[in-house]
Amino acid sequence: MLPLGLLLLLACCGAARGNLSRDESQPTTSDETVVTGGTVVLKCQVEDPDDSSLQWSNPAQQTLYFGEKRALRDNRIQLEKSTPNELTISISDVVLSDEGEYTCSLFTMPVRTAKALVTVLGVPQKPQIFGHEQPIDEEKLARLTCRSSGSKPAAQLRWRKGNKELKDEGTEVVEDPNGKTFTVSSRVEFRVTKEDNEAEVTCTVDHESLQNAERSTTQKLQVHYKPTAKIEPHPQYPREGEKLQLQCDGQGNPIPQEFLWEKEGSDAPLQLSSDSVLIFPFLNKSDSGTYVCTATSSMGSVVAKYNLDVSDLPQLPTPHVHSTPGPSQPISHASMAPASSFTPAPIQDASPVPSTSSTYHAVIGGVVAVIVFLLLSLLIVLGHYLIRHKGMCIRHGETVTSRHRPKPAEVMCTYLTHEAKGSDDAPDADTAIINAEGGQAGGDDKKEYFI
């Protein structure tokens, strides 16, 4: 009879051999996580198949593959690898209903199984922002809501205005009608100012299915604020006799659409229209004074003033701007820089500068003077020439004056001047000519021939 200690040792060794045999025949799997629309791979392995086949079943216990044989007609499910030690399949275009426990079975005696949990993530939709549709008046509270649906598990939302993070006022999670995904809503409140006009507010959704990719929506705020105005003269330094335009530059949201022009000390308004320009076609000294522009929008009114001093020398504008309560609501006062803050441009020559029309008149007068001078000079030269060149022509014994000279081939002309023979004793030119006619024969040295 064997000792009791030896029997116990043999029993332990047999149990160990039995456990080792069961571990080698036990299939192994792993849990998988997949995003909707993605592909999941299920792998089942066994060290000792014991001449048995492996099988994959879905959460509904429908057989997908038995060895290399397809059991369920679903084209999304494909065989990746089939050996006595491994059975691997893939499921593409995963949907939420594919989530659950998949079973790998080894048909031995008894049947050995392993479970693989497939988790399907619902991808959140692009977030939407509500509450920005209408403009917000300055100093009022902006209340915005961001909402994203389709996430599984529930997503996280965060806010940002420009580059600054905003703290939300609360988050709400609601299960979608399909019973698998969730809709998440987040609210934020903040007081807007004039500087928030056109500011960008961004809502971003964070979720593990996005794999560190950011999905967000950005909207611009529209803030209504009180108008401002200033008067700009064109030209900057108006002078008497010139054209002047006063531009009432109104800014705001909305932009002022009504402009009232008045002159201090005058009872009647100068102009009331949507035109912001007041025109002076021809400046006079009587136009000097303080002009007031009242720009009005739905947010109120603002007043701008301009002191006009018409003189021969360039003058410096001294615009003043301040706000006054408008017809819709009171507006805080504001003022521009005082006139003393303007630095005058250096004036090199303060003497009057001739206008364009005076320059044209001077040019025309100079041209006429030159023409008259030339005509007078021409008359003087022509008269001098006629006085010194009186004479007669003789052809075949005929006397022909120089003004009625014919066109023969040859004409002999005798010119009688003060240098002619006998002219030294003549008292005047006519007597010299008569004396010269008498002394024709002796005057051969004064003859000329025209060919």
Side-chain angles (χ1 to χ4, degrees), residues 69-144:
K69 294 180 181 180
R70 180 193 293 270
L72 185 66
R73 293 183 178 277
D74 190 342
N75 293 330
R76 299 181 305 125
I77 305 174
Q78 297 295 327
L79 178 64
E80 299 295 332
K81 186 177 181 179
S82 177
T83 66
N85 300 90
E86 180 180 339
L87 179 61
T88 302
I89 63 174
S90 64
I91 305 175
S92 60
D93 298 328
V94 174
V95 294
L96 292 172
S97 60
D98 292 328
E99 184 176 82
E101 281 189 341
Y102 288 75
T103 305
C104 176
S105 304
L106 178 64
F107 287 92
T108 59
M109 293 300 291
V111 177
R112 294 177 172 86
T113 61
K115 301 290 185 179
L117 177 62
V118 175
T119 302
V120 180
L121 301 179
V123 181
Q125 297 179 2
K126 186 176 181 179
Q128 294 179 299
I129 299 177
F130 304 93
H132 68 281
E133 296 82 3
Q134 299 297 326
I136 309 170
D137 292 346
E138 65 176 332
E139 303 303 329
K140 297 293 183 65
L141 280 178
R143 295 180 174 90
L144 304 179

Side-chain angles (χ1 to χ4, degrees), residues 251-288:
Q251 300 294 328
N253 188 23
I255 297 176
Q257 297 295 325
E258 183 179 271
F259 298 90
L260 172 64
W261 283 98
E262 298 174 292
K263 183 179 181 181
E264 287 188 352
S266 177
D267 296 334
L270 302 177
Q271 179 177 298
L272 175 61
S273 68
S274 60
D275 190 0
S276 61
V277 179
L278 182 64
I279 300 177
F280 297 83
F282 191 86
L283 273 180
N284 293 315
K285 291 187 176 181
S286 60
D287 294 324
S288 297

Side-chain angles (χ1 to χ4, degrees), residues 239-243 282 352-364:
R239 298 175 58 187
E240 185 178 11
E242 295 181 345
K243 180 180 178 180
F282 191 86
V353 180
S355 63
T356 305
S357 59
S358 301
T359 304
Y360 290 155
H361 293 163
V363 172
I364 294 174

Side-chain angles (χ1 to χ4, degrees), residues 127-345:
Q128 294 179 299
I129 299 177
F130 304 93
H132 68 281
E133 296 82 3
Q134 299 297 326
I136 309 170
D137 292 346
E138 65 176 332
E139 303 303 329
K140 297 293 183 65
L141 280 178
R143 295 180 174 90
L144 304 179
T145 301
C146 179
R147 183 175 297 124
S148 175
S149 60
S151 60
K152 178 181 174 299
Q156 300 290 327
L157 300 177
R158 53 189 172 90
W159 290 90
R160 186 175 71 251
K161 184 179 72 170
N163 296 323
K164 180 181 179 181
E165 293 287 340
L166 295 177
K167 184 179 180 180
D168 64 357
E169 300 295 328
T171 302
E172 181 182 11
V173 179
V174 178
E175 188 178 64
D176 292 336
N178 58 21
K180 296 181 178 296
T181 58
F182 300 91
T183 296
V184 183
S185 300
S186 175
R187 294 178 292 103
V188 68
E189 292 184 1
F190 56 93
R191 195 172 300 276
V192 298
T193 63
K194 174 182 176 180
E195 288 72 23
D196 289 326
N197 187 45
E198 298 293 330
E200 292 184 345
V201 176
T202 303
C203 177
T204 303
V205 57
D206 295 325
H207 196 262
E208 56 186 307
S209 66
L210 300 177
Q211 300 176 354
N212 298 324
E214 186 176 276
R215 179 168 291 185
S216 60
T217 298
T218 300
Q219 295 292 343
K220 287 187 176 182
L221 294 178
Q222 290 293 325
V223 179
H224 280 179
Y225 55 89
K226 307 178 187 74
T228 60
K230 63 178 179 179
I231 299 177
E232 295 287 347
H234 302 283
Q236 186 176 4
Y237 305 119
R239 298 175 58 187
E240 185 178 11
E242 295 181 345
K243 180 180 178 180
L244 173 64
Q245 292 185 355
L246 295 182
Q247 173 76 41
C248 187
D249 185 13
Q251 300 294 328
N253 188 23
I255 297 176
Q257 297 295 325
E258 183 179 271
F259 298 90
L260 172 64
W261 283 98
E262 298 174 292
K263 183 179 181 181
E264 287 188 352
S266 177
D267 296 334
L270 302 177
Q271 179 177 298
L272 175 61
S273 68
S274 60
D275 190 0
S276 61
V277 179
L278 182 64
I279 300 177
F280 297 83
F282 191 86
L283 273 180
N284 293 315
K285 291 187 176 181
S286 60
D287 294 324
S288 297
T290 301
Y291 290 84
V292 181
C293 171
T294 304
T296 303
S297 72
S298 60
M299 294 296 294
S301 299
V302 64
V303 172
K305 294 185 178 182
Y306 177 80
N307 294 326
L308 176 61
D309 183 14
V310 180
S311 61
D312 292 337
L313 297 179
Q315 53 91 30
L316 299 178
T318 56
H320 302 281
V321 177
H322 64 273
S323 299
T324 58
S328 58
Q329 57 181 334
I331 299 178
S332 59
H333 287 266
S335 63
M336 289 182 58
S340 59
S341 64
F342 286 90
T343 302

